[in-house]
Structures are given as C-alpha cells and as structure tokens.
Amino acid sequence: MLLIVDQIIKIEVKTGMRLHESLRITNWFYISFIENNGMAYGMTIGSKLALSLFRIAAISLLGYYIWLQIKKGARKIWIILLALIQAGAIGNLIDCMFYGLIFSSSTPYTTAFFVPFGTGYAPFLMGKVVDMFYFPIIVSTYPDWFPFYAGREFIFFSPVFNFADSCISVGMICLLLFCRKELSQITFRTKKSEDTNEEE
C-alpha cells in the first residue's frame, strides 16, 4: 500500500509539473518538483550505478533479515518498522530502475510523459528519483556575527523529499524510540562477534 501511494504521488508530479515548478500550499508547505541522482533528501554518494546496485543489495539483505525475524517471532512493531524502511527504499529504487525507461525527460519548460518501454530518458538503473515535498518552516537570514554566512538566507527545513523518504525517516526514528531493545541486541551481537574473532 505504501509503495502504491508513493508511486501515485510521484507519477502525478512527474507527468503534471515541469521540472523546478513549485505550487504554494501554505507559507510553510510547497509542492516543488525536483529530480536527483542520489539518496534520501537529495544526498549523493558515488556513481549512480553503484548507488542503485547498493540499494538492491541493501533491500535484499533487509528483506532476508525481516523474514528471519518473522520466523523467530519478533515483536510486531519491530517487523512493521523494518518493513516501513524497506518499503521506502524500494519506492526510490523503482524510480532508479524504471523511470528512465518509461518516461520522457522532465525539463523546466515541458512536463514528462509515458513513452514505449525502453525509449525513455535513461537506461535501466539510471533513472532519477522524483522529490516534491518542501517545508520551509522558518525563512530568515543569518545574523551579521555568524561566521561565513552573515546576511545570507537561512531556511529550516530546506531539503525537498518524497513519500518514500518519509517512510524511511519515520521508520528509523520510531526504531530509535520504540525498539531500543532490538537495536541493542544487534549491537551486542556485532560486538560479541568482533570479540570472538579477536580471540581466535
């Protein structure tokens, strides 16, 4: 269900807005269409292909871990939050895998549209992630005494993100708040394994 919601939002934005077009909902909430090659909130690490392959590996490992936790009878909230994070990661992976194959390129002057499979703007695994949620909750300027940024515009919160990013972020925050026992067990096992290897 989360994947469906994520993809509906992205397709509506991708086919209904021009690149960098922005719709004001309130003073602190905009729908601003951008695309990025990187990770959550537009971050970029390494090459696009390497990032896509890393996503596939990470999602596969997380899926296997969730399966093991279900078999083990782990707490439902632990499994649900892990699945929430995985759903978000899959949502962005879908963009990378298929959007370049099925959409024309978005530009500041034209909206994208569906094209025959394989004739889009990028090859497999090289598509761009669609982002749209922008929350400039505070817009001000840095004070004159602030080093390096004096007088420049200050915006909180400035990243543009999507529904999948939200799933990942909410999942991670809730894990830290409600699943500290499970997280500590992972940390303990990792440390115990390292200590065993050192003894050998």
Side-chain angles (χ1 to χ4, degrees), residues 102-118:
I102 64 174
F103 286 116
S104 64
S105 182
S106 296
T107 76
Y109 311 103
T110 59
T111 57
F113 51 88
F114 284 101
V115 297
F117 189 84

mmCIF file of all heavy atoms in Angstrom, residues 102-118:
data_model
loop_
_atom_site.group_PDB
_atom_site.id
_atom_site.type_symbol
_atom_site.label_atom_id
_atom_site.label_comp_id
_atom_site.label_asym_id
_atom_site.label_seq_id
_atom_site.Cartn_x
_atom_site.Cartn_y
_atom_site.Cartn_z
ATOM 1 N N ILE A 102 10.559 4.476 -18.907
ATOM 2 C CA ILE A 102 9.149 4.664 -19.277
ATOM 3 C C ILE A 102 8.723 6.124 -19.418
ATOM 4 O O ILE A 102 7.609 6.390 -19.876
ATOM 5 C CB ILE A 102 8.224 3.965 -18.267
ATOM 6 C CG1 ILE A 102 8.359 4.595 -16.879
ATOM 7 C CG2 ILE A 102 8.508 2.468 -18.226
ATOM 8 C CD1 ILE A 102 7.369 4.048 -15.848
ATOM 9 N N PHE A 103 9.590 7.070 -19.010
ATOM 10 C CA PHE A 103 9.228 8.488 -19.094
ATOM 11 C C PHE A 103 10.163 9.251 -20.016
ATOM 12 O O PHE A 103 11.352 8.927 -20.130
ATOM 13 C CB PHE A 103 9.303 9.154 -17.712
ATOM 14 C CG PHE A 103 8.193 8.784 -16.779
ATOM 15 C CD1 PHE A 103 8.457 8.090 -15.604
ATOM 16 C CD2 PHE A 103 6.883 9.135 -17.063
ATOM 17 C CE1 PHE A 103 7.443 7.757 -14.733
ATOM 18 C CE2 PHE A 103 5.859 8.802 -16.197
ATOM 19 C CZ PHE A 103 6.135 8.103 -15.024
ATOM 20 N N SER A 104 9.625 10.293 -20.643
ATOM 21 C CA SER A 104 10.484 11.255 -21.330
ATOM 22 C C SER A 104 11.149 12.135 -20.284
ATOM 23 O O SER A 104 10.767 12.120 -19.107
ATOM 24 C CB SER A 104 9.659 12.125 -22.282
ATOM 25 O OG SER A 104 8.714 12.910 -21.550
ATOM 26 N N SER A 105 12.115 12.904 -20.672
ATOM 27 C CA SER A 105 12.849 13.741 -19.734
ATOM 28 C C SER A 105 12.003 14.922 -19.269
ATOM 29 O O SER A 105 11.282 15.541 -20.052
ATOM 30 C CB SER A 105 14.133 14.259 -20.395
ATOM 31 O OG SER A 105 14.880 15.031 -19.476
ATOM 32 N N SER A 106 12.085 15.233 -17.979
ATOM 33 C CA SER A 106 11.426 16.426 -17.443
ATOM 34 C C SER A 106 12.333 17.634 -17.663
ATOM 35 O O SER A 106 13.551 17.541 -17.478
ATOM 36 C CB SER A 106 11.151 16.259 -15.947
ATOM 37 O OG SER A 106 10.247 15.222 -15.709
ATOM 38 N N THR A 107 11.756 18.756 -18.030
ATOM 39 C CA THR A 107 12.516 19.989 -18.224
ATOM 40 C C THR A 107 11.763 21.148 -17.570
ATOM 41 O O THR A 107 10.577 21.015 -17.250
ATOM 42 C CB THR A 107 12.715 20.304 -19.722
ATOM 43 O OG1 THR A 107 11.483 20.833 -20.259
ATOM 44 C CG2 THR A 107 13.132 19.073 -20.514
ATOM 45 N N PRO A 108 12.411 22.293 -17.392
ATOM 46 C CA PRO A 108 11.707 23.454 -16.828
ATOM 47 C C PRO A 108 10.628 24.008 -17.763
ATOM 48 O O PRO A 108 9.852 24.876 -17.353
ATOM 49 C CB PRO A 108 12.832 24.489 -16.638
ATOM 50 C CG PRO A 108 14.078 23.672 -16.552
ATOM 51 C CD PRO A 108 13.861 22.522 -17.488
ATOM 52 N N TYR A 109 10.566 23.500 -19.006
ATOM 53 C CA TYR A 109 9.637 24.049 -19.992
ATOM 54 C C TYR A 109 8.546 23.067 -20.401
ATOM 55 O O TYR A 109 7.514 23.479 -20.929
ATOM 56 C CB TYR A 109 10.414 24.484 -21.239
ATOM 57 C CG TYR A 109 11.619 25.333 -20.914
ATOM 58 C CD1 TYR A 109 12.901 24.790 -20.954
ATOM 59 C CD2 TYR A 109 11.474 26.661 -20.528
ATOM 60 C CE1 TYR A 109 14.009 25.551 -20.632
ATOM 61 C CE2 TYR A 109 12.574 27.432 -20.204
ATOM 62 C CZ TYR A 109 13.844 26.875 -20.250
ATOM 63 O OH TYR A 109 14.940 27.633 -19.917
ATOM 64 N N THR A 110 8.761 21.770 -20.179
ATOM 65 C CA THR A 110 7.779 20.761 -20.583
ATOM 66 C C THR A 110 7.607 19.717 -19.488
ATOM 67 O O THR A 110 8.525 19.445 -18.718
ATOM 68 C CB THR A 110 8.237 20.038 -21.869
ATOM 69 O OG1 THR A 110 9.507 19.408 -21.634
ATOM 70 C CG2 THR A 110 8.348 20.999 -23.034
ATOM 71 N N THR A 111 6.414 19.141 -19.423
ATOM 72 C CA THR A 111 6.171 18.039 -18.497
ATOM 73 C C THR A 111 6.545 16.718 -19.174
ATOM 74 O O THR A 111 6.540 16.604 -20.400
ATOM 75 C CB THR A 111 4.689 17.986 -18.084
ATOM 76 O OG1 THR A 111 3.877 17.876 -19.255
ATOM 77 C CG2 THR A 111 4.302 19.234 -17.317
ATOM 78 N N ALA A 112 6.861 15.742 -18.368
ATOM 79 C CA ALA A 112 7.220 14.428 -18.895
ATOM 80 C C ALA A 112 5.954 13.654 -19.275
ATOM 81 O O ALA A 112 4.850 13.979 -18.837
ATOM 82 C CB ALA A 112 8.015 13.651 -17.857
ATOM 83 N N PHE A 113 6.126 12.626 -20.097
ATOM 84 C CA PHE A 113 5.006 11.774 -20.474
ATOM 85 C C PHE A 113 5.522 10.346 -20.656
ATOM 86 O O PHE A 113 6.725 10.101 -20.796
ATOM 87 C CB PHE A 113 4.357 12.279 -21.770
ATOM 88 C CG PHE A 113 5.320 12.507 -22.898
ATOM 89 C CD1 PHE A 113 5.657 11.480 -23.774
ATOM 90 C CD2 PHE A 113 5.910 13.756 -23.078
ATOM 91 C CE1 PHE A 113 6.559 11.691 -24.805
ATOM 92 C CE2 PHE A 113 6.815 13.973 -24.112
ATOM 93 C CZ PHE A 113 7.141 12.937 -24.980
ATOM 94 N N PHE A 114 4.577 9.401 -20.627
ATOM 95 C CA PHE A 114 4.942 7.999 -20.811
ATOM 96 C C PHE A 114 5.404 7.767 -22.247
ATOM 97 O O PHE A 114 4.836 8.322 -23.192
ATOM 98 C CB PHE A 114 3.755 7.089 -20.514
ATOM 99 C CG PHE A 114 3.472 6.923 -19.043
ATOM 100 C CD1 PHE A 114 2.448 7.645 -18.439
ATOM 101 C CD2 PHE A 114 4.225 6.041 -18.274
ATOM 102 C CE1 PHE A 114 2.181 7.489 -17.083
ATOM 103 C CE2 PHE A 114 3.961 5.880 -16.918
ATOM 104 C CZ PHE A 114 2.941 6.604 -16.321
ATOM 105 N N VAL A 115 6.416 6.926 -22.403
ATOM 106 C CA VAL A 115 6.937 6.556 -23.717
ATOM 107 C C VAL A 115 6.984 5.031 -23.785
ATOM 108 O O VAL A 115 6.888 4.349 -22.761
ATOM 109 C CB VAL A 115 8.355 7.145 -23.943
ATOM 110 C CG1 VAL A 115 8.313 8.666 -23.939
ATOM 111 C CG2 VAL A 115 9.336 6.627 -22.903
ATOM 112 N N PRO A 116 7.122 4.454 -24.987
ATOM 113 C CA PRO A 116 7.265 2.994 -25.079
ATOM 114 C C PRO A 116 8.421 2.500 -24.219
ATOM 115 O O PRO A 116 9.465 3.150 -24.143
ATOM 116 C CB PRO A 116 7.532 2.759 -26.575
ATOM 117 C CG PRO A 116 6.878 3.923 -27.246
ATOM 118 C CD PRO A 116 7.078 5.084 -26.316
ATOM 119 N N PHE A 117 8.212 1.366 -23.577
ATOM 120 C CA PHE A 117 9.201 0.835 -22.632
ATOM 121 C C PHE A 117 10.582 0.741 -23.268
ATOM 122 O O PHE A 117 10.744 0.177 -24.350
ATOM 123 C CB PHE A 117 8.774 -0.542 -22.137
ATOM 124 C CG PHE A 117 9.626 -1.072 -21.008
ATOM 125 C CD1 PHE A 117 9.362 -0.706 -19.694
ATOM 126 C CD2 PHE A 117 10.691 -1.915 -21.263
ATOM 127 C CE1 PHE A 117 10.136 -1.185 -18.646
ATOM 128 C CE2 PHE A 117 11.482 -2.398 -20.225
ATOM 129 C CZ PHE A 117 11.200 -2.031 -18.912
ATOM 130 N N GLY A 118 11.566 1.310 -22.583
ATOM 131 C CA GLY A 118 12.943 1.241 -23.050
ATOM 132 C C GLY A 118 13.374 2.415 -23.906
ATOM 133 O O GLY A 118 14.537 2.495 -24.311
#
